[in-house]
Amino acid sequence: MAIDYLDRIPNNVGLGDSRALQRALEHWQPGFLDWWREMGPEGFQAADVYLRTAVAVDAEGWAQFGTVRMPDYRWGIFLAEPTPDRRIGFGDNYGEPVWQQVPGEHRANLRRLIVTQGDTEPASVEQSRRLGQTCPSLYDLRNLFQVNVEEGRHLCAMVYLLHGYFGRDGREEAEELLARHSGDPDKPRILGTFNQPIEDWLSFFMFTYFTDRDGRYQLKCLAESAFDPLARSCRFMLTEEAHHMFVGASGITRIVRRALEIMREEGSDDPARVREAGAIDLPSLQRYMNFWFSSSLDLFGAEVSSNAALYFANGLKGRPDEAQFDDHRAQDEVWPIERPDGMGGVTTEEVPLRNAINEVTRGAYLKDCDIGVQRWNRLIADAGHDFRFRLPSPRFNRAIGVWAGAHTDPDGNPIDAATWAARRDRWLPSTADRAFVQSLMQRVVEPGRTAAWIAPPERGINHLPTGYEYVRLN
């Protein structure tokens, strides 16, 4: 379905047919634009940016490219096309028709899920708002802004659901989504990872690879929801989320390539030599990977969760790609959960599968993350080096779940607090690591040029050359 661009808020949800809802959203929109100008990309509001904008939601084409100033970007509300006779795909109500309205008994839990998802969208914009000041190229600057505007549109999608289906409570929650800010000591974002500042481009690429990948899995779970407007909204958001993960995967690949170039030129894999030559060494990349992967694992929630069981049973939030499973009720199955035994070891217990839904999803996410890791390892092996990246154990550096506060090494072996304190900087970015990476962050905005710490992109955007002026600074 084509997007209706005649409305003040572009949409394919028939917003013009509900004047009260349209007025409510138009009342919210100026606050959103004020938030964007205050908390969005700092110093680039007047820049002309080559951006992708949704114009359709069907498979034939859902985006157009053009140059626009970000405050003028056409944010809108787009839902994937409805599936005829769609049925609930899991839980106690398996096989029944999906809901077009919110059942009263599920109102609070659905609102909580939508608010939590919605809160992550503006948070990631706020986390990276100053990052453009140190961009390694115009290509990367444009990709940052594309991620930013799409996160802004995803916020609009969640706000539409809150306004359209949750009355006064929803409107109040929509206002709060603009009142909370990433890292604010008084009103922080809901999830801890989204209060972590993203102060360098290595962190941004790690965030878009690992944390946006978590976002993909959360959207896949919500896309299974029996509440059809939520499911359709998330299905469309997934089409945009793929680009965010591409930004992370390609960015890390280019950093690895540059490190390998330096290692070849220097004839050495000594991390100090690589740093002296102005690139990021592979062990430092591993430490950043350890941090962002373990932080993103926490976003799935606790390994054993009564809330996850409730959401699944009631059809609110499923497993990613639910159709791949044989048993969609999951009433009689169990799942093994590893936990500390309190004596320096590990024990395993079996819990009802519904209570382990978070862990099932986390396991699928882990396998997905490892695809990129193995791709980077092939680059290293092809260059003739023995170093290999590894994802740390899911037990490592956890702040949520059964392993929260339990010290382990990256292989998941329990260790005492003294050993953790002594070795932490071997496994996670140290103050010196962060200072070094920050020292490389020098702004490069000449078309076709790329900072020396990262390899140039292999191809441009939408068939344009890599040296295209993707951002015109005014």
Side-chain angles (χ1 to χ4, degrees):
M1 176 185 291
I3 303 302
D4 184 353
Y5 269 87
L6 298 178
D7 282 342
R8 180 176 173 184
I9 302 175
N11 70 93
N12 71 333
V13 297
L15 198 57
D17 296 333
S18 175
R19 301 306 300 171
L21 176 56
Q22 184 172 353
R23 284 194 300 269
L25 289 169
E26 289 177 350
H27 176 77
W28 179 85
Q29 193 177 48
F32 167 75
L33 292 174
D34 288 343
W35 166 82
W36 179 268
R37 295 185 184 98
E38 179 184 358
M39 302 302 296
E42 185 178 274
F44 294 95
Q45 299 290 337
D48 294 317
V49 188
Y50 186 73
L51 294 173
R52 178 182 69 184
T53 305
V55 296
V57 297
D58 56 22
E60 282 67 39
W62 54 269
Q64 69 176 6
F65 288 84
T67 299
V68 64
R69 295 184 178 186
M70 285 183 284
D72 300 327
Y73 186 79
R74 298 307 305 272
W75 285 285
I77 298 160
F78 317 132
L79 276 63
E81 289 293 283
T83 300
D85 193 34
R86 180 171 175 252
R87 301 280 167 160
I88 299 173
F90 61 94
D92 292 343
N93 301 314
Y94 175 69
E96 296 180 9
V98 294
W99 316 318
Q100 300 305 324
Q101 297 295 327
V102 179
E105 66 271 26
H106 301 314
R107 184 181 183 86
N109 283 327
L110 273 171
R111 186 176 70 238
R112 177 184 179 186
L113 287 169
I114 292 168
V115 167
T116 301
Q117 179 63 41
D119 192 73
T120 67
E121 313 295 352
S124 66
V125 177
E126 294 166 349
Q127 286 174 288
S128 61
R129 62 186 301 262
R130 295 186 175 90
L131 206 55
Q133 305 295 337
T134 58
C135 61
S137 72
L138 288 181
Y139 169 91
D140 293 295
L141 186 62
R142 178 268 172 197
N143 279 343
L144 167 67
F145 295 157
Q146 185 69 57
V147 171
N148 288 162
V149 295
E150 288 177 353
E151 301 290 17
R153 200 207 63 72
H154 296 175
L155 168 63
C156 294
M158 296 296 103
V159 165
Y160 159 72
L161 296 176
L162 290 171
H163 274 263
Y165 296 92
F166 293 92
R168 177 182 294 180
D169 291 344
R171 293 192 294 273
E172 291 175 354
E173 293 281 16
E175 295 296 331
E176 286 297 302
L177 289 173
L178 299 178
R180 289 187 291 270
H181 295 139
S182 178
D184 189 317
D186 298 318
K187 298 196 75 171
R189 291 297 175 182
I190 295 171
L191 301 177
T193 298
F194 291 90
N195 289 299
Q196 295 280 351
I198 300 177
E199 298 174 330
D200 59 74
W201 281 79
L202 174 56
S203 294
F204 175 67
F205 291 137
M206 291 287 176
F207 181 94
T208 46
Y209 185 81
F210 289 111
T211 309
D212 276 320
R213 195 170 303 272
D214 159 81
R216 174 175 180 256
Y217 275 82
Q218 301 299 339
L219 291 174
K220 284 165 75 76
C221 292
L222 292 172
E224 303 287 345
S225 179
F227 179 40
D228 204 40
L230 173 59
R232 291 172 57 202
S233 179
C234 291
R235 290 208 308 275
F236 182 71
M237 289 164 67
L238 281 164
T239 63
E240 295 176 327
E241 202 73 26
H243 173 71
H244 306 184
M245 294 183 296
F246 163 79
V247 169
S250 61
I252 297 172
T253 298
R254 290 162 56 208
I255 296 173
V256 172
R257 288 188 183 279
R258 183 57 180 151
L260 294 174
E261 289 173 2
I262 294 295
M263 290 158 67
R264 183 181 66 252
E265 293 168 5
E266 295 290 320
S268 172
D269 60 2
D270 181 2
R273 294 274 296 275
V274 175
R275 286 189 174 203
E276 288 170 4
I280 301 173
D281 57 287
L282 301 183
S284 291
L285 284 172
Q286 178 70 70
R287 290 191 287 274
Y288 272 76
M289 189 181 301
N290 289 349
F291 174 80
W292 285 104
F293 176 69
S294 59
S295 177
S296 298
L297 286 180
D298 282 338
L299 294 172
F300 289 92
E303 288 85 350
V304 183
S305 171
S306 58
N307 280 338
L310 180 67
Y311 297 156
F312 185 89
N314 291 333
L316 309 186
K317 182 180 180 182
R319 293 170 289 191
D321 303 308
E322 180 64 36
Q324 71 178 319
F325 297 97
D326 295 326
D327 180 4
H328 300 297
R329 297 184 184 273
Q331 287 179 310
D332 302 318
E333 296 183 65
V334 295
W335 195 264
I337 298 293
E338 294 180 337
R339 61 169 67 244
D341 65 5
M343 299 178 289
V346 181
T347 187
T348 301
E349 65 171 321
E350 291 187 337
V351 303
L353 177 57
R354 288 185 174 187
N355 292 83
I357 293 294
N358 290 344
E359 191 66 3
V360 173
T361 306
R362 189 168 13 238
Y365 165 82
L366 190 156
K367 292 178 181 178
D368 197 8
C369 286
D370 199 50
I371 294 172
V373 173
Q374 298 312 315
R375 188 179 300 121
W376 301 322
N377 283 340
R378 286 193 292 273
L379 290 176
I380 299 169
D382 290 345
H385 298 283
D386 295 331
F387 185 93
R388 297 292 182 271
F389 292 118
R390 292 189 304 161
L391 293 177
S393 166
R395 306 172 188 173
F396 175 75
N397 194 41
R398 292 291 302 282
I400 292 175
V402 297
W403 290 96
H407 298 306
T408 80
D409 65 17
D411 293 326
N413 300 311
I415 57 176
D416 58 34
T419 302
W420 169 261
R423 300 182 181 177
R424 181 189 184 282
D425 286 353
R426 300 183 192 178
W427 301 328
L428 294 171
S430 65
T431 301
D433 289 332
R434 295 186 184 279
F436 169 72
V437 171
Q438 191 62 47
S439 74
L440 300 177
M441 300 294 111
Q442 303 298 319
R443 172 169 158 157
V444 176
V445 293
E446 293 81 4
R449 283 197 57 208
T450 304
W453 58 269
I454 185 172
E458 293 186 329
R459 61 183 62 86
I461 297 160
N462 193 33
H463 309 296
L464 291 174
T466 58
Y468 183 77
E469 192 176 7
Y470 291 104
V471 181
R472 299 170 189 165
L473 304 176
N474 299 315

